[in-house]
Amino acid sequence: MERTDAVNFVDNLNYVPGVYVNQGALNTNKINIRGIGGRAQYSTNRIQAYFDGIPLATAEGSLTLDDIDQESLERVEVIKGPTSSIYGAGLGGSINLYSADPGANESRVGVKVQGGSYNTWKKSDVISINGANSSVFATYNHVQSDGWRENGSYDRKSGLVNAKVLTSGKNSLSFLANFVKLKAYIPSSINEDDFLNNPESAAFTWGASKGYESYDRGLLGVSYKHHFSENFTNQTSVFVSFRNGYEPRPFDILKEERLSAGARTNFSLSTKLFELPSEFSFGAQYYNEWYETGTFENLYEDFDNLGSVRGERLSNNEQDRHYANFFAQLNIDLSERLLLEAGLNFNTTGYSLDDFYAEDNIDQTGSYTFDAVFSPRLGLSYEVAEAKNIYASVSHGFSTPTVAETLTPEGQINTDLEAETGFNYEIGFKGNWLNNRLYTEVSLYSIQVRNLLVAQRVAEDQYVGINAGKTDHNGIEFFGKYSLDLTGNWQVSPFVNAAFNFFEFDRFVNEEVDYSGNQLPGVPKHTINAGLDLSTDFGFSFNALYRNVGEIPLNDANALYTNSYDLVNLKAAYAFDIIKDLQLNIYGGINSLFDEHYAASVLPNAVGFGGAAPRYYYPGYPRNYFTGLAVNYFF
């Protein structure tokens, strides 16, 4: 994460092989892992995410990570594919965020100010205090930008507090609070002509209505870890989160309120099974979400240059969504070199919908529970030589439809709709070479998705879900990093990773058109990342990053593709002590060094209405600059 400008956290995920982020704007990001989520329209779905064990995805699987500030994080873990029973067996995998740990650093107070192109500013304050039995970390961040496209200004304020208290018997109590206040205008996607000739423009209707999204989002969690003995522990968390949003769009104005609450408990036991060293984990998670949503007329066309103006109500719904996960995982050392992992996840999901809007004479009220899903996992890892391992695994995952996708065009609930399911088959190698200076890993996988959920567009902002076929996600991923001491004061670490994707429809017939054998839209054919990290003992560091992204199919018919593109980003920094315990860090960088013209995100299967050309493209940032100054006092 230290390689980037730290304005958009999710951009870092692009450097993980097998992960691709469609970046429409700072507040418009879609993450797909191994192609899962590639056909999503505007946001991330089918991927789970946790912040210190607290779920971030909504009960129906929608996920927003772009409002998480990088300064709040200590590390990030990406689990690709449905390979973890403990984290919900999501079809795409899981992204686990870990807040900055007050116990991991010295006590300090810090201030950082960063400025960049398009009047982009980031200001950060941090305080970290460590005591013998307690610690606290707190940070406040403010990011604002005019944006490089019309109707693209952005303003985000966020704060995080993470506190921990050690009690008797090595037990610990931790507290996490995170708050975000966002207002971000939306330039939206544009057609091919504008993309080629006027990429800084906003979509006409979004610019005319001055469309934007704004929300307040908060998360509170308390976690207690108890040691029953040296070999038996439990960690239990309870959490509450909320999100209140308001989004004027050209076709309507959306107002929504979401309140979520839940609990998660996980027991861990180190023991012997059949005289073999073993670790056994088991637990459960319950999540309940109350969601109120309403839409209103947008009368922007009746008021010149005023932007969005709220009119009569168009809908009024309340939803109650809930799910329960029960999980278990067993690791057994079958020998000194052979490790067996077995796991399972059991899920039940349901919702109820109350329609309080009677003007349209359509009553969507109803309740529905999906069939319970049992997801097993089995894996083997074998150490073929010291610090060199081969592994193989097979695992099952699932993704339930959203409430909107279960509604028919007439507004009735489609009780025949099924959850997407899939098996992931994977083999790979991980190992160190040359006295641990060279690390490599390679993996081959196949995810076979069944009951593929397809969003059919029936109006400008209305989609209907159907189970329409199968997809095969086959791929190869590689990562390598080499660490070398050039002299006694200089260290250099070049790295390269790549993902080659062979994602296609196995069987897919939609509206009597057969797309079987076509490539999956919204996902590049390949991604290649390479870079160089240079550091010194006297505080100077330099990072050079290169990214190559292959062609992306734009629709199910594969009639259109984006062009492949290359990006080069540079960053340099110099940190030194002004006086004892007072450190100054000066840094700066360039993104898109060669001013590449490219599509940073696409809208798969875009449809033009009223004779307008389809708007497939979100243009990426041109060349831009940033520089910053950070001061830290350690005590």
Side-chain angles (χ1 to χ4, degrees), residues 516-539:
S516 302
N518 287 2
Q519 297 173 355
L520 194 69
V523 186
K525 292 183 178 180
H526 70 265
T527 56
I528 300 173
N529 294 293
L532 183 71
D533 299 324
L534 177 68
S535 60
T536 66
D537 293 343
F538 52 84

Side-chain angles (χ1 to χ4, degrees), residues 304-345:
D304 291 339
N305 300 319
L306 286 183
S308 296
V309 177
R310 194 167 88 172
E312 296 294 325
R313 179 181 286 274
L314 300 175
S315 67
N316 184 15
N317 295 318
E318 291 185 7
Q319 300 171 12
D320 184 357
R321 312 161 176 168
H322 58 87
Y323 69 77
N325 277 328
F326 303 91
F327 54 85
Q329 183 164 308
L330 176 64
N331 299 346
I332 305 177
D333 293 329
L334 298 179
S335 69
E336 291 185 357
R337 294 180 176 269
L338 183 62
L339 171 67
L340 169 69
E341 296 182 1
L344 59 89
N345 181 279

Side-chain angles (χ1 to χ4, degrees), residues 119-131:
N119 199 27
T120 300
W121 291 92
K122 178 174 182 179
K123 302 173 185 178
S124 300
D125 303 305
V126 62
I127 182 169
S128 179
I129 301 175
N130 296 302

Side-chain angles (χ1 to χ4, degrees), residues 182-198:
L182 173 78
K183 183 174 184 180
Y185 285 82
I186 302 174
S188 195
S189 56
I190 54 179
N191 61 41
E192 184 177 22
D193 182 66
D194 287 335
F195 171 70
L196 294 174
N197 301 300
N198 193 20

Side-chain angles (χ1 to χ4, degrees), residues 353 364 402-409 411-414 462-465:
L353 174 65
Q364 302 176 99
T402 66
V403 174
E405 288 171 330
T406 62
L407 299 178
T408 67
Q412 303 304 310
I413 291 180
N414 179 7
Q462 185 180 5
Y463 298 85
V464 176

Side-chain angles (χ1 to χ4, degrees), residues 349-360:
T349 298
Y351 64 87
S352 62
L353 174 65
D354 292 311
D355 188 348
F356 296 104
Y357 183 72
E359 302 298 325
D360 57 1

